[in-house]
Amino acid sequence: MIVALKEDYQRALDEQKKEVREMVMAGLEQVKEEKSKEFNTVCDRLEKKYKDEAISN
């Protein structure tokens, strides 16, 4: 039972890491496309989105 829980936790953690990487890459793409002029603004927006999403889960 404990092994199954650890595997589920690790799977969820890996998925969250993947989502964070995708959000960072999306933010970098926005900077490249000049949709946002300041990288810190993009990072702040992504951080807020990720924190809000983590709380709601």
Side-chain angles (χ1 to χ4, degrees):
M1 176 75 173
I2 292 174
V3 173
L5 289 174
K6 285 183 181 180
E7 289 175 1
D8 287 345
Y9 175 76
Q10 188 61 47
R11 208 172 297 123
L13 187 61
D14 291 343
E15 184 63 28
Q16 285 180 345
K17 287 179 184 179
K18 180 182 173 186
E19 289 173 7
V20 169
R21 285 192 297 269
E22 289 172 356
M23 285 189 284
V24 169
M25 294 308 292
L28 289 172
E29 192 61 34
Q30 287 178 358
V31 171
K32 285 180 188 176
E33 293 174 358
E34 297 180 5
K35 290 183 179 179
S36 179
K37 295 182 189 254
E38 189 174 330
F39 183 70
N40 287 337
T41 304
V42 173
C43 291
D44 290 343
R45 187 173 63 245
L46 291 172
E47 183 177 7
K48 181 182 182 315
K49 177 181 177 181
Y50 182 70
K51 282 184 180 178
D52 290 347
E53 200 170 282
I55 292 170
S56 67
N57 289 334

